[in-house]
Amino acid sequence: MLDKFITPVIKPLLTPIVATLHKLGITADQLTVAGFLVGMLALPLLAFELWYGALAAIILNRIFDGLDGAMARYAKQSSSAGGYLDITLDFLFYAAVPLGFILANPAQNAIAGALLLAAFIGTGSSFLAFAISAEKFQLDKPQFKYKSFYYLNGLTEGTETIALFIALCIWPQHFVLLAGIFATACAVTIFTRIHGGYHTLKQLESTK
């Protein structure tokens, strides 16, 4: 929901950093992989209840995630392969965070963590599946032209997910409550995406 507002604010701040990294010969794909490796450190850190260490890894992962896209555009390196690598590693990172909390306290966090992981699968699959059909119909991306695939809006997007991760690291004792609230919000996103995506594609097919 907030991505379309946050991204235009952040993009200009990344340009000087990207310009420097480009001069050093660093590529967008290298930033993607480096960010993923840093982000995955959150998993063992959360499992051992090192909350602020995990928070640092999560924030650094998101910084790298912003830099890789900015680098691809700056260096004119945008590609389907890069977009595929980016989104795949992003979802592995997103799954690792709830898993870390489950490992930290299985008795307390397992059910809420499982619900959150299921919600992530629903939100991810609902927009990635639509992106395949959007490519077939060559739909424009008016709000996310910088994306390598069609990005279907929703109540819970990247900005909201990272806000959740930050809140969980600051208040880990409230994991069950926060995960439950966010999973419910994800359910709304899943429903609206499936409903809207289905009817959009039906309408497009009927006009062919």
Side-chain angles (χ1 to χ4, degrees):
M1 183 175 67
L2 297 177
D3 284 8
K4 61 184 177 182
F5 303 110
I6 299 296
T7 301
V9 175
I10 294 176
K11 283 172 64 178
L13 302 177
L14 300 177
T15 302
I17 303 173
V18 165
T20 301
L21 293 174
H22 182 60
K23 290 178 181 178
L24 296 173
I26 296 173
T27 68
D29 289 349
Q30 288 172 341
L31 289 172
T32 298
V33 173
F36 170 71
L37 294 175
V38 171
M40 289 303 289
L41 291 174
L43 176 57
L45 289 169
L46 289 169
F48 287 104
E49 301 185 8
L50 300 172
W51 311 122
Y52 288 103
L55 177 59
I58 290 167
I59 291 174
L60 284 172
N61 171 272
R62 293 298 87 195
I63 292 173
F64 273 92
D65 188 61
L67 288 172
D68 64 3
M71 175 65 80
R73 293 185 294 274
Y74 181 85
K76 296 180 173 57
Q77 298 170 343
S78 296
S79 67
S80 296
Y84 170 76
L85 180 67
D86 180 51
I87 194 64
T88 302
L89 296 185
D90 272 353
F91 271 94
L92 288 171
F93 162 72
Y94 287 149
V97 175
L99 179 58
F101 280 97
I102 291 171
L103 294 175
N105 190 338
Q108 175 181 300
N109 296 340
I111 293 177
L115 287 173
L116 190 56
L117 285 169
F120 285 173
I121 291 172
T123 55
S125 61
S126 61
F127 87 80
L128 289 175
F130 185 85
I132 296 170
S133 297
E135 185 71 21
K136 173 185 174 182
F137 288 104
Q138 298 182 326
L139 296 182
D140 290 331
K141 300 176 285 185
Q143 294 174 321
F144 297 99
K145 293 183 179 180
Y146 58 92
K147 294 286 188 182
S148 58
F149 53 88
Y150 193 97
Y151 197 95
L152 195 61
N153 295 72
L155 180 62
T156 53
E157 297 174 348
T159 301
E160 292 80 11
T161 303
I162 299 310
L164 169 71
F165 288 172
I166 292 172
L168 291 174
C169 289
I170 295 174
W171 300 292
Q173 69 275 22
H174 298 305
F175 175 82
V176 173
L177 175 63
L178 293 172
I181 291 172
F182 197 80
T184 302
C186 285
V188 175
T189 296
I190 295 165
F191 173 79
T192 56
R193 280 180 175 168
I194 293 175
H195 182 272
Y198 174 80
H199 287 286
T200 297
L201 295 175
K202 286 288 285 188
Q203 184 175 14
L204 288 169
E205 288 172 340
S206 67
T207 57
K208 287 190 66 176

